[in-house]
Amino acid sequence: MADRVDVAHELAVFLRTRRERLSPEDVGLPQRRRSRRTPGLRREDVAELAAVSVDYVIRLEQGRGLRPSPDVLDALAGALRLSDDERAYLFDLTRHWSAGRRSSGDAGGWLSSLVCALSPLPAMVVDHRFDIVAWNPEMAWLMLGFPEFPEEQRNTMYLCVLHPAFAGFYRDRERIIQEGIADLRAAWAAHPDDTALADLIERLRSESEDFARLWERRDVMVNGHGTKALVHPRVGSFSIEYDVLTPLGDASRRLVVYRAADPVSQEALDTVAREARAGAPALRAI
């Protein structure tokens, strides 16, 4: 079983990578006359901008087990120009849970009904691990009949990264993986005691060089909307726009809805709907 999140180490590496990506000009500091071997801001710069001591920044980046207060985290987030998602990741990582990220409700029943009602638009519900927990026939057909796969494989990151049927499914596969990892990393920090999530990440890291490489970038971004270019074995090439909605009743689940990105893609989705209703196999050769 994979280890749980090492908070001190992850906080140290995250703060260091965020510091190294900035230049003095990015934060309004004067340009240095001499170049330095190490990239980004100096620790002294971060300390000045966050109004903390240089020694404190050093100890944080050395993973000495410090647990900054919310006020200090706010100051560090401002100094490092963190995005909203990166700031939430920082708070979740240090167990100062960010507002609006948790709910004790269970929206499973009505979400499943909503997914069915969204037909003919492909729709599904995923949890914080990206496990697919509900879907309509259009999404099942579009995603190569995944309900017939073993239950442990019904996970969008697993399918994209490891399942051979999806090797050529995404035209821009690396971008899709990178965006998924940035989203998954936020969930990883928000659920530090979820051993199933930790095991999934460890498996993806050990079995995919692409995943392992991109995971080390420590990108953090929760994706609410975007586009994907697909190559389906029955329908061919087309593009979809996706929207991700989080219900108030269960913040750990997400409703994902696909829409056509253009008229040609709409024709493809119309075919998806017809084939799904007819029960045609999604993996049959064109």
Side-chain angles (χ1 to χ4, degrees), residues 15-29 32 36 38-42 45-46 49 76-83 86:
L15 291 176
R16 187 167 63 250
T17 58
R18 300 308 94 169
R19 172 174 63 82
E20 291 175 349
R21 74 179 180 179
L22 293 172
S23 68
E25 294 80 11
D26 292 332
V27 295
L29 294 176
R32 304 187 189 99
R36 301 168 64 242
T38 56
L41 297 177
R42 300 174 301 176
D45 297 330
V46 175
L49 292 167
L76 289 169
L80 295 170
R81 302 299 192 264
L82 299 187
S83 67
E86 290 172 329

Side-chain angles (χ1 to χ4, degrees), residues 3-222:
D3 294 337
R4 296 179 180 179
V5 179
D6 183 339
V7 173
H9 171 75
E10 181 58 28
L11 178 62
V13 178
F14 183 70
L15 291 176
R16 187 167 63 250
T17 58
R18 300 308 94 169
R19 172 174 63 82
E20 291 175 349
R21 74 179 180 179
L22 293 172
S23 68
E25 294 80 11
D26 292 332
V27 295
L29 294 176
Q31 186 174 7
R32 304 187 189 99
R33 294 181 179 179
R34 293 183 299 175
S35 61
R36 301 168 64 242
R37 292 183 179 178
T38 56
L41 297 177
R42 300 174 301 176
R43 289 167 171 166
E44 291 84 353
D45 297 330
V46 175
E48 178 183 350
L49 292 167
V52 296
S53 69
V54 177
D55 180 65
Y56 191 81
V57 175
I58 291 173
R59 285 185 289 157
L60 280 175
E61 289 195 1
Q62 290 179 344
R64 297 191 192 176
L66 300 179
R67 186 170 183 263
S69 69
D71 288 341
V72 171
L73 292 177
D74 266 329
L76 289 169
L80 295 170
R81 302 299 192 264
L82 299 187
S83 67
D84 290 343
D85 290 337
E86 290 172 329
R87 180 185 179 279
Y89 178 74
L90 188 65
F91 272 70
D92 285 339
L93 192 62
T94 54
R95 311 303 191 266
H96 295 298
W97 309 123
S98 51
R101 293 292 289 274
R102 285 170 174 76
S103 173
S104 58
D106 181 7
W110 67 264
L111 270 178
S112 297
S113 299
L114 178 58
V115 165
C116 292
L118 285 168
S119 294
L121 293 177
M124 63 181 169
V125 176
V126 300
D127 63 16
H128 66 276
R129 303 185 195 100
F130 291 8
D131 289 337
I132 307 171
V133 297
W135 56 86
N136 61 15
E138 291 81 3
M139 182 62 80
W141 196 92
L142 175 62
M143 295 289 287
L144 308 186
F146 73 85
E148 299 179 7
F149 300 166
E151 184 174 355
E152 63 272 14
Q153 296 181 6
R154 298 176 200 164
N155 176 282
T156 58
M157 283 301 296
Y158 176 92
L159 293 176
C160 178
V161 175
L162 295 181
H163 200 288
F166 285 79
F169 188 73
Y170 299 101
R171 284 212 300 266
D172 190 359
R173 181 173 176 271
E174 176 149 331
R175 178 181 66 84
I176 298 301
I177 295 176
Q178 183 175 344
E179 291 178 354
I181 286 174
D183 207 333
L184 192 63
R185 183 171 277 280
W188 179 68
H191 300 84
D193 297 322
D194 188 337
T195 55
L197 177 59
D199 289 343
L200 170 66
I201 293 170
E202 182 59 30
R203 180 176 183 182
L204 293 170
R205 291 177 66 186
S206 64
E207 297 185 23
S208 169
E209 293 182 0
D210 290 337
F211 186 96
R213 171 175 53 84
L214 293 170
W215 179 261
E216 291 306 314
R217 289 170 56 102
R218 286 177 167 78
D219 293 332
V220 181
M221 182 179 67
V222 178

